[in-house]
PDB file of all heavy atoms in Angstrom:
ATOM      1  N   VAL A   7    -102.060 -31.158-151.101  1.00 31.00           N
ATOM      2  CA  VAL A   7    -100.972 -31.971-150.583  1.00 31.00           C
ATOM      3  C   VAL A   7    -100.101 -31.130-149.684  1.00 31.00           C
ATOM      4  O   VAL A   7     -99.595 -30.096-150.094  1.00 31.00           O
ATOM      5  CB  VAL A   7    -100.132 -32.555-151.742  1.00 31.00           C
ATOM      6  CG1 VAL A   7     -98.931 -33.299-151.197  1.00 31.00           C
ATOM      7  CG2 VAL A   7    -100.980 -33.464-152.610  1.00 31.00           C
ATOM      8  N   GLU A   8     -99.914 -31.580-148.436  1.00 32.00           N
ATOM      9  CA  GLU A   8     -99.032 -30.895-147.509  1.00 32.00           C
ATOM     10  C   GLU A   8     -98.009 -31.890-146.994  1.00 32.00           C
ATOM     11  O   GLU A   8     -98.161 -33.077-147.115  1.00 32.00           O
ATOM     12  CB  GLU A   8     -99.822 -30.317-146.329  1.00 32.00           C
ATOM     13  CG  GLU A   8    -100.863 -29.296-146.759  1.00 32.00           C
ATOM     14  CD  GLU A   8    -101.546 -28.665-145.574  1.00 32.00           C
ATOM     15  OE1 GLU A   8    -100.991 -28.734-144.475  1.00 32.00           O
ATOM     16  OE2 GLU A   8    -102.625 -28.097-145.761  1.00 32.00           O
ATOM     17  N   GLY A   9     -96.959 -31.381-146.357  1.00 35.00           N
ATOM     18  CA  GLY A   9     -95.948 -32.275-145.817  1.00 35.00           C
ATOM     19  C   GLY A   9     -95.007 -32.722-146.928  1.00 35.00           C
ATOM     20  O   GLY A   9     -95.001 -32.207-148.040  1.00 35.00           O
ATOM     21  N   GLU A  10     -94.160 -33.694-146.632  1.00 37.00           N
ATOM     22  CA  GLU A  10     -93.203 -34.192-147.591  1.00 37.00           C
ATOM     23  C   GLU A  10     -93.897 -34.808-148.781  1.00 37.00           C
ATOM     24  O   GLU A  10     -94.864 -35.527-148.645  1.00 37.00           O
ATOM     25  CB  GLU A  10     -92.317 -35.257-146.939  1.00 37.00           C
ATOM     26  CG  GLU A  10     -91.030 -34.695-146.416  1.00 37.00           C
ATOM     27  CD  GLU A  10     -90.181 -35.765-145.783  1.00 37.00           C
ATOM     28  OE1 GLU A  10     -90.168 -36.895-146.293  1.00 37.00           O
ATOM     29  OE2 GLU A  10     -89.547 -35.479-144.772  1.00 37.00           O
ATOM     30  N   SER A  11     -93.397 -34.576-149.942  1.00 41.00           N
ATOM     31  CA  SER A  11     -93.940 -35.184-151.142  1.00 41.00           C
ATOM     32  C   SER A  11     -93.130 -36.419-151.472  1.00 41.00           C
ATOM     33  O   SER A  11     -92.025 -36.607-150.963  1.00 41.00           O
ATOM     34  CB  SER A  11     -93.887 -34.195-152.307  1.00 41.00           C
ATOM     35  OG  SER A  11     -92.554 -33.805-152.547  1.00 41.00           O
ATOM     36  N   PRO A  12     -93.648 -37.300-152.345  1.00 39.00           N
ATOM     37  CA  PRO A  12     -92.910 -38.485-152.726  1.00 39.00           C
ATOM     38  C   PRO A  12     -91.574 -38.121-153.360  1.00 39.00           C
ATOM     39  O   PRO A  12     -91.388 -37.004-153.867  1.00 39.00           O
ATOM     40  CB  PRO A  12     -93.846 -39.161-153.748  1.00 39.00           C
ATOM     41  CG  PRO A  12     -95.198 -38.618-153.439  1.00 39.00           C
ATOM     42  CD  PRO A  12     -94.968 -37.226-152.950  1.00 39.00           C
ATOM     43  N   ALA A  13     -90.647 -39.087-153.359  1.00 41.00           N
ATOM     44  CA  ALA A  13     -89.339 -38.863-153.965  1.00 41.00           C
ATOM     45  C   ALA A  13     -89.519 -38.412-155.409  1.00 41.00           C
ATOM     46  O   ALA A  13     -90.275 -38.997-156.175  1.00 41.00           O
ATOM     47  CB  ALA A  13     -88.512 -40.148-153.909  1.00 41.00           C
ATOM     48  N   LYS A  14     -88.810 -37.363-155.787  1.00 44.00           N
ATOM     49  CA  LYS A  14     -89.023 -36.769-157.097  1.00 44.00           C
ATOM     50  C   LYS A  14     -88.056 -37.337-158.125  1.00 44.00           C
ATOM     51  O   LYS A  14     -86.894 -37.579-157.856  1.00 44.00           O
ATOM     52  CB  LYS A  14     -88.862 -35.254-157.018  1.00 44.00           C
ATOM     53  CG  LYS A  14     -89.868 -34.595-156.093  1.00 44.00           C
ATOM     54  CD  LYS A  14     -89.706 -33.101-156.118  1.00 44.00           C
ATOM     55  CE  LYS A  14     -90.679 -32.426-155.172  1.00 44.00           C
ATOM     56  NZ  LYS A  14     -92.062 -32.643-155.579  1.00 44.00           N
ATOM     57  N   LYS A  15     -88.570 -37.529-159.336  1.00 45.00           N
ATOM     58  CA  LYS A  15     -87.743 -37.936-160.465  1.00 45.00           C
ATOM     59  C   LYS A  15     -87.245 -36.673-161.166  1.00 45.00           C
ATOM     60  O   LYS A  15     -87.867 -35.613-161.071  1.00 45.00           O
ATOM     61  CB  LYS A  15     -88.574 -38.762-161.443  1.00 45.00           C
ATOM     62  CG  LYS A  15     -89.255 -39.965-160.822  1.00 45.00           C
ATOM     63  CD  LYS A  15     -90.167 -40.603-161.842  1.00 45.00           C
ATOM     64  CE  LYS A  15     -90.977 -41.725-161.217  1.00 45.00           C
ATOM     65  NZ  LYS A  15     -91.929 -42.318-162.185  1.00 45.00           N
ATOM     66  N   PRO A  16     -86.143 -36.780-161.898  1.00 49.00           N
ATOM     67  CA  PRO A  16     -85.678 -35.612-162.657  1.00 49.00           C
ATOM     68  C   PRO A  16     -86.752 -35.163-163.641  1.00 49.00           C
ATOM     69  O   PRO A  16     -87.335 -35.971-164.363  1.00 49.00           O
ATOM     70  CB  PRO A  16     -84.436 -36.141-163.380  1.00 49.00           C
ATOM     71  CG  PRO A  16     -83.990 -37.320-162.566  1.00 49.00           C
ATOM     72  CD  PRO A  16     -85.235 -37.921-162.016  1.00 49.00           C
ATOM     73  N   ARG A  17     -87.022 -33.881-163.663  1.00 49.00           N
ATOM     74  CA  ARG A  17     -88.068 -33.355-164.540  1.00 49.00           C
ATOM     75  C   ARG A  17     -87.462 -32.751-165.806  1.00 49.00           C
ATOM     76  O   ARG A  17     -86.407 -32.123-165.773  1.00 49.00           O
ATOM     77  CB  ARG A  17     -88.889 -32.270-163.825  1.00 49.00           C
ATOM     78  CG  ARG A  17     -89.770 -32.778-162.709  1.00 49.00           C
ATOM     79  CD  ARG A  17     -90.454 -31.601-162.043  1.00 49.00           C
ATOM     80  NE  ARG A  17     -91.247 -32.030-160.898  1.00 49.00           N
ATOM     81  CZ  ARG A  17     -92.548 -32.305-160.951  1.00 49.00           C
ATOM     82  NH1 ARG A  17     -93.184 -32.224-162.100  1.00 49.00           N
ATOM     83  NH2 ARG A  17     -93.206 -32.652-159.876  1.00 49.00           N
ATOM     84  N   THR A  18     -88.148 -32.931-166.881  1.00 52.00           N
ATOM     85  CA  THR A  18     -87.856 -32.222-168.111  1.00 52.00           C
ATOM     86  C   THR A  18     -89.149 -31.591-168.564  1.00 52.00           C
ATOM     87  O   THR A  18     -90.221 -31.901-168.044  1.00 52.00           O
ATOM     88  CB  THR A  18     -87.330 -33.174-169.200  1.00 52.00           C
ATOM     89  OG1 THR A  18     -88.392 -34.071-169.566  1.00 52.00           O
ATOM     90  CG2 THR A  18     -86.131 -33.974-168.707  1.00 52.00           C
ATOM     91  N   LYS A  19     -89.044 -30.719-169.551  1.00 53.00           N
ATOM     92  CA  LYS A  19     -90.257 -30.058-170.028  1.00 53.00           C
ATOM     93  C   LYS A  19     -91.243 -31.070-170.582  1.00 53.00           C
ATOM     94  O   LYS A  19     -92.455 -30.942-170.438  1.00 53.00           O
ATOM     95  CB  LYS A  19     -89.885 -29.033-171.095  1.00 53.00           C
ATOM     96  CG  LYS A  19     -90.973 -28.019-171.379  1.00 53.00           C
ATOM     97  CD  LYS A  19     -90.431 -26.873-172.210  1.00 53.00           C
ATOM     98  CE  LYS A  19     -91.497 -25.792-172.385  1.00 53.00           C
ATOM     99  NZ  LYS A  19     -90.971 -24.647-173.156  1.00 53.00           N
TER     100      LYS A  19
END
Side-chain angles (χ1 to χ4, degrees):
V7 175
E8 299 185 19
E10 265 180 37
S11 60
K14 298 183 181 296
K15 305 173 186 177
R17 290 177 184 266
T18 66
K19 197 168 185 178

